[in-house]
Short mmCIF file of all heavy atoms in Angstrom, two decimals:
data_model
loop_
_atom_site.label_atom_id
_atom_site.label_comp_id
_atom_site.label_asym_id
_atom_site.label_seq_id
_atom_site.Cartn_x
_atom_site.Cartn_y
_atom_site.Cartn_z
N GLU U 317 35.80 -22.29 -27.95
CA GLU U 317 36.49 -21.89 -29.10
C GLU U 317 35.72 -20.89 -29.84
O GLU U 317 34.52 -21.01 -29.93
CB GLU U 317 36.67 -23.10 -30.01
CG GLU U 317 38.02 -23.14 -30.58
CD GLU U 317 38.13 -24.33 -31.43
OE1 GLU U 317 37.69 -25.39 -31.03
OE2 GLU U 317 38.54 -24.18 -32.52
N GLY U 318 36.37 -19.96 -30.31
CA GLY U 318 35.63 -18.99 -31.09
C GLY U 318 34.81 -18.06 -30.26
O GLY U 318 34.07 -17.25 -30.82
N GLY U 319 34.92 -18.14 -29.01
CA GLY U 319 34.14 -17.19 -28.24
C GLY U 319 32.73 -17.69 -28.00
O GLY U 319 31.93 -17.01 -27.34
N GLY U 320 32.48 -18.80 -28.49
CA GLY U 320 31.15 -19.32 -28.26
C GLY U 320 31.17 -20.42 -27.25
O GLY U 320 32.10 -20.44 -26.41
N PHE U 321 30.25 -21.26 -27.33
CA PHE U 321 30.30 -22.34 -26.37
C PHE U 321 29.63 -23.58 -27.02
O PHE U 321 28.53 -23.51 -27.49
CB PHE U 321 29.49 -21.95 -25.09
CG PHE U 321 29.40 -23.10 -24.13
CD1 PHE U 321 30.52 -23.56 -23.48
CD2 PHE U 321 28.19 -23.74 -23.87
CE1 PHE U 321 30.45 -24.61 -22.64
CE2 PHE U 321 28.13 -24.82 -22.99
CZ PHE U 321 29.29 -25.22 -22.37
N ASP U 322 30.40 -24.60 -27.01
CA ASP U 322 29.88 -25.80 -27.63
C ASP U 322 30.03 -26.89 -26.58
O ASP U 322 31.10 -27.43 -26.35
CB ASP U 322 30.68 -26.15 -28.84
CG ASP U 322 30.07 -27.39 -29.54
OD1 ASP U 322 29.14 -28.01 -28.97
OD2 ASP U 322 30.54 -27.74 -30.62
N ARG U 323 28.97 -27.21 -26.01
CA ARG U 323 29.10 -28.18 -25.00
C ARG U 323 29.51 -29.50 -25.47
O ARG U 323 29.99 -30.33 -24.75
CB ARG U 323 27.79 -28.34 -24.34
CG ARG U 323 26.89 -28.80 -25.34
CD ARG U 323 25.61 -29.03 -24.67
NE ARG U 323 25.71 -28.61 -23.33
CZ ARG U 323 24.85 -27.94 -22.78
NH1 ARG U 323 23.86 -27.62 -23.43
NH2 ARG U 323 24.94 -27.58 -21.56
N ARG U 324 29.33 -29.69 -26.68
CA ARG U 324 29.68 -31.01 -27.19
C ARG U 324 31.15 -31.24 -27.04
O ARG U 324 31.61 -32.34 -27.08
CB ARG U 324 29.32 -31.14 -28.65
CG ARG U 324 27.83 -31.10 -28.79
CD ARG U 324 27.46 -31.06 -30.20
NE ARG U 324 28.01 -29.91 -30.83
CZ ARG U 324 27.80 -29.63 -32.09
NH1 ARG U 324 27.13 -30.45 -32.86
NH2 ARG U 324 28.30 -28.57 -32.62
N LEU U 325 31.84 -30.20 -26.93
CA LEU U 325 33.30 -30.37 -26.82
C LEU U 325 33.75 -30.50 -25.40
O LEU U 325 34.92 -30.61 -25.13
CB LEU U 325 33.97 -29.15 -27.46
CG LEU U 325 33.70 -28.98 -28.94
CD1 LEU U 325 34.35 -27.79 -29.45
CD2 LEU U 325 34.19 -30.25 -29.62
N CYS U 326 32.83 -30.54 -24.58
CA CYS U 326 33.22 -30.66 -23.18
C CYS U 326 33.05 -32.11 -22.74
O CYS U 326 31.98 -32.59 -22.67
CB CYS U 326 32.35 -29.79 -22.30
SG CYS U 326 32.71 -29.99 -20.58
N GLU U 327 34.15 -32.64 -22.51
CA GLU U 327 34.14 -34.00 -22.14
C GLU U 327 33.27 -34.28 -20.96
O GLU U 327 32.51 -35.21 -20.90
CB GLU U 327 35.53 -34.33 -21.75
CG GLU U 327 35.95 -35.74 -21.98
CD GLU U 327 37.32 -35.85 -21.44
OE1 GLU U 327 38.20 -35.13 -21.84
OE2 GLU U 327 37.49 -36.67 -20.54
N ASP U 328 33.49 -33.52 -20.02
CA ASP U 328 32.71 -33.74 -18.78
C ASP U 328 31.25 -33.66 -19.00
O ASP U 328 30.44 -34.40 -18.38
CB ASP U 328 33.12 -32.78 -17.70
CG ASP U 328 34.56 -33.05 -17.28
OD1 ASP U 328 35.00 -34.17 -17.46
OD2 ASP U 328 35.19 -32.11 -16.76
N MET U 329 30.89 -32.73 -19.76
CA MET U 329 29.47 -32.60 -19.99
C MET U 329 28.94 -33.85 -20.66
O MET U 329 27.89 -34.34 -20.32
CB MET U 329 29.19 -31.42 -20.81
CG MET U 329 29.32 -30.15 -20.01
SD MET U 329 28.77 -28.80 -20.95
CE MET U 329 28.17 -27.79 -19.71
N ASN U 330 29.66 -34.28 -21.56
CA ASN U 330 29.20 -35.48 -22.22
C ASN U 330 29.15 -36.60 -21.30
O ASN U 330 28.21 -37.40 -21.29
CB ASN U 330 30.08 -35.73 -23.40
CG ASN U 330 29.90 -34.73 -24.45
OD1 ASN U 330 28.80 -34.24 -24.65
ND2 ASN U 330 30.96 -34.40 -25.13
N ASN U 331 30.16 -36.70 -20.57
CA ASN U 331 30.20 -37.82 -19.68
C ASN U 331 29.08 -37.78 -18.73
O ASN U 331 28.41 -38.77 -18.41
CB ASN U 331 31.44 -37.84 -18.84
CG ASN U 331 32.64 -38.06 -19.73
OD1 ASN U 331 32.46 -38.67 -20.76
ND2 ASN U 331 33.74 -37.61 -19.32
N ALA U 332 28.94 -36.64 -18.26
CA ALA U 332 27.93 -36.51 -17.27
C ALA U 332 26.66 -36.99 -17.83
O ALA U 332 25.90 -37.73 -17.21
CB ALA U 332 27.78 -35.07 -16.95
N LYS U 333 26.46 -36.57 -18.95
CA LYS U 333 25.25 -36.96 -19.46
C LYS U 333 25.08 -38.39 -19.63
O LYS U 333 24.08 -38.94 -19.32
CB LYS U 333 25.16 -36.46 -20.76
CG LYS U 333 23.97 -37.00 -21.06
CD LYS U 333 23.85 -36.95 -22.28
CE LYS U 333 22.73 -36.73 -22.94
NZ LYS U 333 22.68 -36.11 -23.70
N SER U 334 26.07 -38.90 -20.07
CA SER U 334 25.89 -40.27 -20.29
C SER U 334 25.67 -40.94 -18.98
O SER U 334 24.93 -41.86 -18.90
CB SER U 334 27.13 -40.84 -20.90
OG SER U 334 28.16 -40.51 -20.07
N LYS U 335 26.30 -40.50 -18.08
CA LYS U 335 26.11 -41.11 -16.82
C LYS U 335 24.78 -40.84 -16.26
O LYS U 335 24.34 -41.40 -15.37
CB LYS U 335 27.09 -40.50 -15.85
CG LYS U 335 28.29 -41.09 -16.14
CD LYS U 335 29.18 -40.39 -15.34
CE LYS U 335 29.29 -40.94 -14.08
NZ LYS U 335 29.88 -40.59 -13.17
N ALA U 336 24.24 -39.94 -16.75
CA ALA U 336 23.04 -39.60 -16.31
C ALA U 336 23.16 -38.80 -15.15
O ALA U 336 22.30 -38.49 -14.47
CB ALA U 336 22.35 -40.75 -15.78
N ARG U 337 24.21 -38.34 -14.97
CA ARG U 337 24.27 -37.54 -13.85
C ARG U 337 24.03 -36.20 -14.22
O ARG U 337 24.62 -35.63 -15.06
CB ARG U 337 25.59 -37.55 -13.42
CG ARG U 337 25.83 -36.61 -12.79
CD ARG U 337 26.77 -36.07 -12.25
NE ARG U 337 27.55 -35.21 -12.37
CZ ARG U 337 28.34 -35.08 -13.02
NH1 ARG U 337 28.31 -35.77 -13.58
NH2 ARG U 337 29.13 -34.24 -12.98
N PRO U 338 23.14 -35.71 -13.83
CA PRO U 338 22.79 -34.46 -14.26
C PRO U 338 23.52 -33.39 -13.68
O PRO U 338 24.04 -32.66 -14.32
CB PRO U 338 21.44 -34.37 -13.83
CG PRO U 338 21.30 -35.47 -13.02
CD PRO U 338 22.37 -36.39 -13.18
N ARG U 339 23.48 -33.11 -12.68
CA ARG U 339 24.03 -31.87 -12.32
C ARG U 339 25.35 -31.82 -12.01
O ARG U 339 26.01 -32.78 -11.71
CB ARG U 339 23.52 -31.38 -11.12
CG ARG U 339 22.58 -31.69 -10.90
CD ARG U 339 21.85 -30.99 -10.22
NE ARG U 339 20.92 -30.48 -10.80
CZ ARG U 339 20.15 -30.38 -11.39
NH1 ARG U 339 20.19 -30.70 -11.42
NH2 ARG U 339 19.32 -29.90 -11.90
N LYS U 340 25.78 -30.67 -12.08
CA LYS U 340 27.14 -30.48 -11.82
C LYS U 340 27.45 -30.72 -10.42
O LYS U 340 28.21 -31.46 -10.03
CB LYS U 340 27.42 -29.10 -12.10
CG LYS U 340 28.72 -28.69 -11.70
CD LYS U 340 28.76 -27.27 -11.84
CE LYS U 340 30.01 -26.65 -11.78
NZ LYS U 340 30.13 -25.41 -12.11
N ARG U 341 26.82 -30.10 -9.67
CA ARG U 341 27.18 -30.21 -8.31
C ARG U 341 26.21 -31.06 -7.61
O ARG U 341 25.19 -31.32 -8.08
CB ARG U 341 27.10 -28.94 -7.68
CG ARG U 341 27.86 -28.19 -8.45
CD ARG U 341 27.83 -27.02 -8.46
NE ARG U 341 28.71 -26.70 -9.39
CZ ARG U 341 29.58 -25.87 -9.39
NH1 ARG U 341 29.75 -25.34 -8.67
NH2 ARG U 341 30.38 -25.53 -10.18
N ARG U 342 26.37 -31.36 -6.68
CA ARG U 342 25.65 -32.20 -5.95
C ARG U 342 24.26 -32.35 -6.30
O ARG U 342 23.59 -31.48 -6.52
CB ARG U 342 25.61 -31.72 -4.67
CG ARG U 342 24.55 -31.73 -4.34
CD ARG U 342 24.04 -31.48 -3.43
NE ARG U 342 23.66 -32.19 -2.50
CZ ARG U 342 24.16 -32.92 -1.90
NH1 ARG U 342 24.98 -33.08 -2.10
NH2 ARG U 342 23.77 -33.55 -1.00
N ALA U 343 23.91 -33.40 -6.39
CA ALA U 343 22.55 -33.51 -6.62
C ALA U 343 22.32 -34.36 -5.60
O ALA U 343 22.87 -35.12 -5.30
CB ALA U 343 22.43 -34.24 -7.78
N GLU U 344 21.54 -34.40 -5.04
CA GLU U 344 21.49 -35.14 -3.85
C GLU U 344 21.88 -36.50 -4.11
O GLU U 344 21.51 -37.05 -5.02
CB GLU U 344 20.21 -35.22 -3.53
CG GLU U 344 19.52 -34.99 -4.49
CD GLU U 344 19.27 -33.73 -4.79
OE1 GLU U 344 19.26 -33.31 -4.47
OE2 GLU U 344 18.97 -33.08 -5.43
N THR U 345 22.54 -37.00 -3.32
CA THR U 345 22.97 -38.29 -3.54
C THR U 345 21.84 -39.08 -3.26
O THR U 345 21.03 -38.72 -2.56
CB THR U 345 23.82 -38.65 -2.49
OG1 THR U 345 24.14 -37.56 -2.01
CG2 THR U 345 24.77 -39.38 -2.91
N THR U 346 21.77 -40.07 -3.68
CA THR U 346 20.64 -40.77 -3.49
C THR U 346 20.09 -40.75 -2.22
O THR U 346 19.87 -39.96 -1.64
CB THR U 346 21.01 -42.05 -3.68
OG1 THR U 346 22.09 -42.00 -3.15
CG2 THR U 346 21.12 -42.27 -4.89
N SER U 347 19.78 -41.71 -1.77
CA SER U 347 19.07 -41.63 -0.61
C SER U 347 19.62 -40.93 0.49
O SER U 347 19.07 -40.78 1.43
CB SER U 347 19.05 -42.90 -0.19
OG SER U 347 20.03 -43.44 -0.56
N GLU U 348 20.54 -40.47 0.40
CA GLU U 348 21.10 -39.87 1.50
C GLU U 348 20.42 -38.76 1.98
O GLU U 348 19.51 -38.29 1.52
CB GLU U 348 22.29 -39.32 1.17
CG GLU U 348 22.87 -40.26 0.85
CD GLU U 348 23.23 -41.10 1.48
OE1 GLU U 348 22.97 -41.01 2.09
OE2 GLU U 348 23.84 -41.93 1.33
N PRO U 349 20.91 -38.22 2.78
CA PRO U 349 20.37 -37.08 3.35
C PRO U 349 20.79 -36.02 2.59
O PRO U 349 21.67 -35.34 2.75
CB PRO U 349 21.14 -36.98 4.55
CG PRO U 349 22.19 -37.92 4.37
CD PRO U 349 21.92 -38.79 3.30
N PRO U 350 20.26 -35.83 1.73
CA PRO U 350 20.64 -34.84 0.89
C PRO U 350 20.56 -33.64 1.51
O PRO U 350 21.30 -32.85 1.52
CB PRO U 350 19.56 -34.91 0.03
CG PRO U 350 18.78 -35.84 0.60
CD PRO U 350 19.34 -36.47 1.66
N VAL U 351 19.76 -33.36 1.74
CA VAL U 351 19.62 -32.34 2.43
C VAL U 351 20.06 -31.07 2.10
O VAL U 351 20.33 -30.68 1.28
CB VAL U 351 20.28 -32.50 3.39
CG1 VAL U 351 20.19 -31.64 3.89
CG2 VAL U 351 20.19 -33.73 3.62
N LYS U 352 20.22 -30.34 2.74
CA LYS U 352 20.35 -29.02 2.49
C LYS U 352 21.38 -28.78 1.59
O LYS U 352 22.05 -29.54 1.19
CB LYS U 352 20.89 -28.44 3.62
CG LYS U 352 21.71 -29.20 4.02
CD LYS U 352 22.27 -28.82 4.99
CE LYS U 352 22.34 -28.48 6.04
NZ LYS U 352 22.41 -28.04 6.70
N ARG U 353 21.46 -27.74 1.29
CA ARG U 353 22.48 -27.45 0.36
C ARG U 353 23.65 -27.35 1.10
O ARG U 353 23.77 -26.67 2.00
CB ARG U 353 22.19 -26.23 -0.18
CG ARG U 353 20.97 -26.41 -0.74
CD ARG U 353 20.30 -25.43 -1.06
NE ARG U 353 19.25 -25.68 -1.86
CZ ARG U 353 18.71 -24.84 -2.49
NH1 ARG U 353 18.96 -23.82 -2.44
NH2 ARG U 353 17.78 -25.00 -3.26
N PHE U 354 24.48 -28.01 0.87
CA PHE U 354 25.65 -28.06 1.64
C PHE U 354 26.36 -26.83 1.46
O PHE U 354 26.07 -26.04 0.87
CB PHE U 354 26.46 -29.07 1.12
CG PHE U 354 26.60 -28.79 -0.18
CD1 PHE U 354 27.80 -28.98 -0.80
CD2 PHE U 354 25.64 -28.30 -0.95
CE1 PHE U 354 27.93 -28.73 -2.07
CE2 PHE U 354 25.80 -28.08 -2.22
CZ PHE U 354 26.93 -28.29 -2.75
N LYS U 355 27.30 -26.76 1.68
CA LYS U 355 28.13 -25.74 1.45
C LYS U 355 28.70 -25.34 2.67
O LYS U 355 29.62 -24.81 2.72
CB LYS U 355 27.40 -24.63 1.04
CG LYS U 355 28.14 -23.94 0.24
CD LYS U 355 27.69 -23.19 -0.45
CE LYS U 355 28.20 -22.58 -1.45
NZ LYS U 355 28.12 -21.93 -1.99
N SER U 356 28.21 -25.44 3.65
CA SER U 356 28.81 -24.89 4.67
C SER U 356 30.08 -25.33 4.93
O SER U 356 31.00 -24.79 4.81
CB SER U 356 28.11 -25.24 5.75
OG SER U 356 27.37 -25.81 5.76
N GLU U 357 30.25 -26.36 5.35
CA GLU U 357 31.47 -26.72 5.68
C GLU U 357 32.34 -27.16 4.67
O GLU U 357 33.04 -27.08 4.31
CB GLU U 357 31.38 -27.77 6.49
CG GLU U 357 30.60 -28.50 5.92
CD GLU U 357 30.46 -29.60 6.34
OE1 GLU U 357 31.03 -29.65 6.83
OE2 GLU U 357 29.77 -30.41 6.17
N ARG U 358 32.42 -27.66 4.04
CA ARG U 358 33.27 -28.28 3.21
C ARG U 358 34.33 -27.49 2.65
O ARG U 358 34.15 -26.56 2.13
CB ARG U 358 32.59 -28.71 2.16
CG ARG U 358 32.52 -27.99 1.35
CD ARG U 358 33.02 -27.21 0.77
NE ARG U 358 32.80 -26.44 -0.06
CZ ARG U 358 31.99 -25.89 -0.25
NH1 ARG U 358 31.30 -26.11 0.40
NH2 ARG U 358 31.94 -25.11 -1.06
N PRO U 359 35.33 -27.91 2.83
CA PRO U 359 36.46 -27.24 2.37
C PRO U 359 36.84 -27.76 1.10
O PRO U 359 37.04 -28.84 0.92
CB PRO U 359 37.44 -27.69 3.26
CG PRO U 359 36.84 -28.72 3.92
CD PRO U 359 35.42 -28.75 3.78
N PRO U 360 36.98 -27.01 0.33
CA PRO U 360 37.29 -27.41 -0.94
C PRO U 360 38.66 -27.68 -0.99
O PRO U 360 39.38 -27.14 -0.35
CB PRO U 360 37.13 -26.22 -1.64
CG PRO U 360 36.87 -25.28 -0.67
CD PRO U 360 36.61 -25.84 0.55
N VAL U 361 39.00 -28.30 -1.87
CA VAL U 361 40.25 -28.51 -1.94
C VAL U 361 40.90 -28.70 -3.10
O VAL U 361 41.58 -28.72 -3.47
CB VAL U 361 40.37 -29.67 -1.46
CG1 VAL U 361 41.40 -29.68 -1.22
CG2 VAL U 361 39.40 -29.89 -0.78
N ALA U 362 40.66 -29.08 -3.91
CA ALA U 362 41.41 -29.46 -4.89
C ALA U 362 41.97 -28.50 -5.72
O ALA U 362 41.78 -27.44 -5.61
CB ALA U 362 40.59 -30.02 -5.68
N SER U 363 42.70 -28.87 -6.54
CA SER U 363 43.19 -27.89 -7.30
C SER U 363 43.34 -28.31 -8.61
O SER U 363 43.26 -29.40 -8.93
CB SER U 363 44.44 -27.76 -6.91
OG SER U 363 44.79 -28.73 -6.61
N VAL U 364 43.49 -27.39 -9.37
CA VAL U 364 43.58 -27.69 -10.70
C VAL U 364 44.75 -27.16 -11.15
O VAL U 364 45.23 -26.28 -10.59
CB VAL U 364 42.64 -26.86 -11.33
CG1 VAL U 364 42.90 -27.00 -12.63
CG2 VAL U 364 41.44 -27.18 -10.86
#
Side-chain angles (χ1 to χ4, degrees):
Chain U
E317 223 179 313
F321 175 67
D322 183 354
R323 60 176 7 134
R324 293 174 299 180
L325 298 177
C326 175
E327 210 185 301
D328 293 337
M329 284 187 149
N330 291 325
N331 292 335
K333 177 195 217 134
S334 55
K335 285 173 87 181
R337 156 185 105 289
R339 332 208 110 45
K340 171 189 193 170
R341 305 164 182 225
R342 131 178 264 52
E344 19 277 335
T345 342
T346 38
S347 30
E348 298 294 6
V351 178
K352 44 178 62 252
R353 299 163 168 198
F354 55 139
K355 211 162 196 199
S356 4
E357 47 171 349
R358 89 37 185 38
V361 200
S363 33
V364 171

